[in-house]
Every structure is written in C-alpha cells, then in structure tokens.
Amino acid sequence: MPSYTAPIKDMQFLLHQVLNVSASDIAGYADLDEAFTAAVLEEAGKVASDLLAPLNASGDREGCTLENGVVRTPKGFKAAFAAMKDGGWTALDCDPAYGGQGLPYLMGTAVGEIFVSANMAFNMYQGLTHGAYSAIHTHGTEAQKQTYLPKLISCDWTGTMNLTEPHCGTDLGLMRTRAEPQDDGSYKITGTKIFISAGDHDLAENIIHLVLAKAPGGGEGTKGISLFIVPKRLVGADGALGARNAVSVGKIEDKMGIHGNATCVMNYDGATGYLLGDLHKGMRAMFTMMNEARLGVGLQGYAVAEAAYQNAAAYARDRLQGRAVTGAQNPTGPADALIVHPDIRRSLMDQKSFVEGARAFTFWSAQMIDASVRNKDADAEGMVSLLIPVLKGFLTDRGFETAVQAQQIWGGHGYIEDNPMSQFVRDARIAQIYEGANGVQALDLVGRKLAQDGGKHVMAFFDLIKTFLKQNADDPQMAPYLEPLKKASKDVQAATMFFISQAAKNPNAALAGSYDFMLMMGHTCLGLIWAKIAKAALAATTDPDFHAAKLITARYYMTRQLPATALHLARIESGADPVMALPEAAF
C-alpha cells in the first residue's frame, strides 16, 4: 500500500514566510494566521492518511462497475465520501450564503493538494462538484442558486461538466448536442457526451450535469453554444427530488488510470435542461471557471508527483544496492542504500525541486485568483489568466515525468502492480490530456494570452521579475538565485520578440514554438518562485536545517533545471521549417 504524509511544514512555510498571507490585503486573509492554517492542514492530513490513502490502491484495482444502468464505486468510497461531507471538507471555500465556510480559494487549494496526493480518483468527485458550484454561483439566477448550491456545497448532490462528444474534442464548434426550447422555458437536451468524469455513481442522491449544447438561432461554431443545467433526477419547486430525467450511462470507459473515478459516456434523450447564463453564451460561462479548473488539474500533476516522490525517497533510503564510489556508507551491511549514489540523488533532487517549486507556483496563483475575485483586482486577474495555461501544461508534463522518475528508482519493483509506483504514473498521465490537452494550452498561451490586452500582462510578468531582481541586487547571498533568473527572463523576452516579428508573415513559426514557450515560461515561473523561497529562507531565524534544505534545493533548480530556457529558445528561433518541412505522405 502506498504511504503518504501531508507536507504541512512546507505548506506553512509557503503560506506564512513566502506569501505572508495574514499580512495580505486580500479580503479574508487576515484570518489566516499560522495557528488556524496549521489546524486546517493537520486535520486534512489526518483525513488523507487515515481515510483516503488506504482506498487509493484498492480503488485502482477494483474500479467502477455499471450494472443494469447503475454505476457503483469501489468498496469504501461511499463511507469515505460520507465522512468527507460530515467533516465539512466539501464546503471549505464556498459561499456562506449557501452553506459554505467562506475560506479563501488558497486554503481550498492547499487542502485539495493533500486529498489529491492521497487519492486522486476519489477527490475528483468533489472536485468536479466544486466546478459546477462555481459555474452556477457565477452565472445562475437566484432561484437556481437557491435550488442547487446548498446541495452541491454539501455534496448531497454532485456535479459534472459535459463538453466532449465522440467526434468533437477541443473543437467545440463541431458539437451536435441539441437543445430544443419548450413552452415552460425549459429545454429538451439530446445528444451524446463522452469522457465525463464522475458522470454517474452511487455517492450522492442526485447529479447535476452542466451540458454544453446548441440551441436554435445561435449560428455556427462556438457562438451558438449554450450551457444547461440537466439534473439526473428532476428537482421540484420545493427542492424535492422527482422523476429520473432522460439521461443515462452508455458505458464506463476502460482507462489507463484513475480507475476509482467513473468516466462515463452520457446519453441525453430529450432530457429536461435549464439554461444557465445567457443564451448562446455558453462558452463565456464555461471559461469563467477555466482558471480554477485548470489550476486544479495542474495541482493534480504535482500532487500525484509528491506522493510518488515520497515513496521513491523512502525506497531509496531503505533499498540496499551496491557501494558508494567514495567508500562504504553502511560498512556493517551487505550494501549501501540507493540514496548514496549520485544518479539516484540527481533523480530525487529533480523530483524534490519540481514538486516544491510547483506547489509554491500553484499557491501563488491561487492567491492571485483570490485577489481577482475577492478584491476585484484586474491586474491579478490578468496575470493569472496569462499564467494558467503555463501552470496547467508545465506542471502536468513535469508531474508525469516526476512520477516516472520516482517509479524508475524502484527499478523492476516499480513496474510490478503489487507496488504503488505504477498507479502514480498511470494516474498522473491523464492530467496532461483533460481540461485542454497541453498542446492546446501552449497554443492558448502564444495565440491568445501573449497579445491579450495589448500584451499588458506579459509585460507585467517581465516587470515583476525585473523589480524582484532590482530589489535584491545588493544582497550578495541572493546572487546564486538572481543571475540564473535574469538569464531565463531574457530568454523568454527574446522568444516573445521572435513571435512578434513572425506573427504576420509566418504564423506557423510562432505556433511551432508554442510548446517550447510554455515549457520555457514554466521553468521561469519556478525560477522566480524559487528565488522568492530562497529570500524567505535566508531571512528565517528558526529551524536552520529546514531552511538550509530550501536554499540547497533552490540552487539545484537554478543550476540544473532553469538553464533549459536556453534550449527552448534555440528551438523556438529555428522557426517552423524543421517542423513543417516533411511532406504529409512521409509520415
């Protein structure tokens, strides 16, 4: 069985020494003192270790089943889900007006990481419900909010998002699902959706599907798409559950990973639906929750990597293999532990420096989402919108790579299903694909986000780094962290200028380099956040071993990872020719 311990000390360091949350002017942050956040995170850690982690491997082995139209989750999931509800974890950062606890999104993010690391497939049931809650909270009428939000917050009802169709993935303009208006103001929804996570299950008494469909008069492409609330069971005016709606499960997908989550084909056969938001403005409603949803998937990337890293580090300390080249480190034993070997240490440092940097990047982004929502901070909203495709794409790519590195440390034992490492690899893989495949994230970054608002936000990103470099230029202790960051920032700026120069005359040149640019931005964001971590660690007056480890890890990232920006720049500046030269028939 995999082991997992919530990294509470690291989270507390980020919240209070790096982000300094309790001194922030973001509404609600003044209440986030160290004692309070520690209490929340420690309790979440207990839930993760005692309740969720023990179900991770068994849920993976058992999976979900569909029998006579009924989807059943793995053994133990129902009791665990009830315990999560009873503990109030599903309501943590939701609106108190509808039964939520009102904590900042940042705290929901920190707790969410803990739960994902312990059991990603299980946490998706409440995670997707939170997305449905957010969409209705933002776009619903007051009547819709009163009807659905309390039940979604408590997870008495759960939620889904239905976008993809068999012939239509990223290109939603090809959508065929139709919505026919009825005399009573409702719509009849007809069509098939695939890859619907938590599409049906036995954990809640009702499931609220948010379904994208085309209503008459909307025109072609995405402009004609609307968003509809389609309950599994109809809800009466008094809130009571009524008859089963005309929505059914066609099958459960047989997936590579996240077996404990029911990924369904959903059939809508004239199901009753209710318009959410404005007619023909469904894409706008969907994109409202994209920052949150994509941050959540980026979090999955590094949270699974955290669990894999913990198990790899423990194995490397215990497994005896060979002798250190500098002399026996375990002279009374038959061999030294794996961890004495330089290449094992390299792998573990790759993993550690990524996971800790990714966590800091994610927490910082969650703080910006709080600023944009709670303080109506337009600059924070612009910055996080620029960085979200980077966070989603980079953290899930590197998260999967990190899980593979952790598996590699186990050698052949990592390839055996009796051990936990295979599941981490299989579970992490999906995060690169769903919520917008990573190639799409790169295209969004280069094709839309760089030029958004006249390039204001990417210039603000460069200014953020420039200001940090200037503020710390006179501190000799910061030099090992500033110079690599400065070089990386220059590489990103050079790539941006290349795209600008090529945009009109050769757009393929920009798009051919988009993936490298996303990775370059990801490294630079982690470089910036590791420099901030180093500054906090240098200023610390307690726990010298902990903070020394932060400084060593920061230097590792700066010297071994951040120089990758130069490689990505060289690829970008090679243009489109190496990518597009081969004739189609030659593939």
Side-chain angles (χ1 to χ4, degrees):
M1 185 177 75
S3 62
Y4 171 70
T5 302
I8 295 169
K9 190 173 185 178
D10 190 65
M11 291 181 168
Q12 285 285 88
F13 167 72
L14 291 177
L15 292 173
H16 299 288
Q17 293 176 258
V18 179
L19 299 178
N20 198 15
V21 291
S22 59
S24 170
D25 64 355
I26 299 173
Y29 272 45
D31 297 330
L32 301 182
D33 60 52
E34 290 193 49
F36 177 77
T37 59
V40 173
L41 296 176
E42 286 168 6
E43 194 60 34
K46 292 176 185 176
V47 171
S49 297
D50 299 343
L51 186 67
L52 303 186
L55 295 174
N56 198 33
S58 61
D60 177 63
R61 289 192 299 269
E62 183 180 346
C64 299
T65 57
L66 173 62
E67 299 175 359
N68 300 319
V70 178
V71 175
R72 303 192 188 283
T73 53
K75 292 176 183 176
F77 272 41
K78 286 182 73 172
F81 200 71
M84 293 286 284
K85 291 164 52 180
D86 291 345
W89 295 108
T90 63
L92 202 67
D93 59 346
C94 297
D95 191 342
Y98 304 98
Q101 297 180 32
L103 293 183
Y105 177 67
L106 173 59
M107 288 303 298
T109 299
V111 169
E113 180 202 320
I114 292 171
F115 292 163
V116 170
S117 291
N119 195 325
M120 175 176 165
F122 177 92
N123 192 67
M124 288 172 66
Y125 291 102
Q126 67 188 48
L128 289 155
T129 303
H130 194 285
Y133 153 83
S134 296
I136 296 173
H137 188 267
T138 302
H139 296 283
T141 65
E142 188 54 41
Q144 288 172 334
K145 293 178 185 180
Q146 293 292 345
T147 298
Y148 298 106
L149 294 188
K151 293 290 190 178
L152 289 172
I153 288 171
S154 68
C155 273
D156 290 335
W157 301 350
T158 61
T160 71
M161 189 67 187
N162 287 234
L163 286 73
T164 307
E165 299 183 6
H167 59 284
C168 164
T170 300
D171 190 354
L172 294 175
L174 300 177
M175 186 177 298
R176 295 175 185 165
T177 300
R178 299 293 171 181
E180 294 296 331
Q182 305 298 300
D183 292 341
D184 63 357
S186 67
Y187 289 77
K188 293 296 183 186
I189 311 298
T190 302
T192 296
K193 299 289 186 178
I194 63 170
F195 305 154
I196 308 307
S197 300
D200 200 82
H201 52 79
D202 56 0
L203 303 180
E205 60 186 4
N206 202 10
I207 301 174
I208 309 304
H209 301 290
L210 299 189
V211 183
L212 286 177
K214 288 188 173 181
E220 296 300 317
T222 58
K223 294 180 180 178
I225 294 175
S226 302
L227 185 61
F228 298 90
I229 298 172
V230 186
K232 175 181 176 179
R233 293 182 63 185
L234 297 172
V235 183
D238 59 354
L241 293 181
R244 175 73 183 257
N245 206 351
V247 53
S248 61
V249 180
K251 63 176 287 192
I252 297 177
E253 301 288 2
D254 186 9
K255 310 185 297 296
M256 176 179 174
I258 54 169
H259 296 153
N261 195 270
T263 305
C264 300
V265 174
M266 304 300 299
N267 295 319
Y268 295 87
D269 301 305
T272 299
Y274 308 95
L275 182 66
L276 178 60
D278 296 329
L279 188 64
H280 309 314
K281 302 294 183 183
M283 296 300 290
R284 179 190 299 170
M286 183 186 72
F287 276 110
T288 295
M289 54 186 181
M290 276 301 170
N291 283 350
E292 176 185 317
R294 288 176 173 170
L295 183 145
V297 175
L299 180 150
Q300 288 179 329
Y302 84 80
V304 174
E306 164 71 33
Y309 162 69
Q310 287 189 18
N311 284 269
Y315 189 80
R317 287 191 294 266
D318 293 341
R319 176 74 168 176
L320 302 182
Q321 290 282 284
R323 289 294 188 186
V325 294
T326 54
Q329 302 297 302
N330 178 32
T332 61
D336 291 332
L338 278 173
I339 202 167
V340 306
H341 303 300
D343 192 60
I344 296 294
R345 294 290 280 267
R346 172 203 58 79
S347 176
L348 290 173
M349 287 301 294
D350 280 352
Q351 296 168 50
K352 180 179 176 65
S353 64
F354 164 70
V355 168
E356 293 182 11
R359 175 179 300 116
F361 180 24
T362 303
F363 281 21
W364 174 46
S365 299
Q367 186 179 34
M368 285 190 283
I369 290 177
D370 274 331
S372 68
V373 173
R374 289 172 171 253
N375 286 22
K376 309 302 180 187
D377 185 333
D379 291 337
E381 182 178 8
M383 180 66 74
V384 81
S385 293
L386 170 72
L387 297 182
I388 280 296
V390 179
L391 189 151
K392 192 279 182 185
F394 184 73
L395 298 195
T396 58
D397 266 13
R398 292 298 308 277
F400 176 72
E401 292 171 12
T402 299
V404 171
Q405 282 186 298
Q407 182 188 39
Q408 187 76 8
I409 283 180
W410 280 61
H413 293 287
Y415 200 67
I416 302 301
E417 292 292 351
D418 289 344
N419 294 315
M421 307 313 289
S422 170
Q423 184 186 351
F424 294 136
V425 171
R426 291 185 284 102
D427 285 356
R429 183 66 181 90
I430 185 56
Q432 296 171 284
I433 298 172
Y434 62 16
E435 204 57 55
N438 286 355
V440 175
Q441 301 299 326
L443 294 177
D444 178 48
L445 174 65
V446 172
R448 288 200 322 122
K449 298 298 177 63
L450 287 186
Q452 195 169 39
D453 295 330
K456 172 184 176 181
H457 307 303
V458 72
M459 295 307 298
F461 177 71
F462 295 145
D463 286 344
L464 185 68
I465 295 176
K466 183 178 179 180
T467 298
F468 182 83
L469 293 171
K470 185 179 294 185
Q471 288 173 342
N472 296 280
D474 294 333
D475 184 351
Q477 294 185 95
M478 285 294 292
Y481 315 102
L482 299 185
E483 190 58 34
L485 176 60
K486 184 178 180 179
K487 290 179 180 177
S489 180
K490 287 183 176 180
D491 287 342
V492 176
Q493 292 178 61
T496 303
M497 294 307 297
F498 175 81
F499 291 151
I500 292 172
S501 71
Q502 297 291 315
K505 60 183 180 182
N506 188 11
N508 275 347
L511 299 185
S514 62
Y515 208 94
D516 279 285
F517 187 76
M518 180 186 74
L519 298 178
M520 173 191 282
M521 281 283 288
H523 277 298
T524 305
C525 287
L526 261 65
L528 173 61
I529 207 70
W530 267 119
K532 289 177 176 288
I533 289 170
K535 182 176 181 179
L538 287 167
T541 57
T542 60
D543 206 343
D545 291 343
F546 175 84
H547 294 106
K550 289 295 179 191
L551 293 171
I552 292 169
T553 308
R555 285 198 297 273
Y556 181 89
Y557 197 88
M558 294 297 182
T559 56
R560 298 283 299 216
Q561 297 295 330
L562 195 53
T565 59
L567 169 65
H568 293 303
L569 177 61
R571 289 174 174 171
I572 289 167
E573 291 181 336
S574 73
D577 288 347
V579 175
M580 304 300 291
L582 194 66
E584 290 183 21
F587 284 94

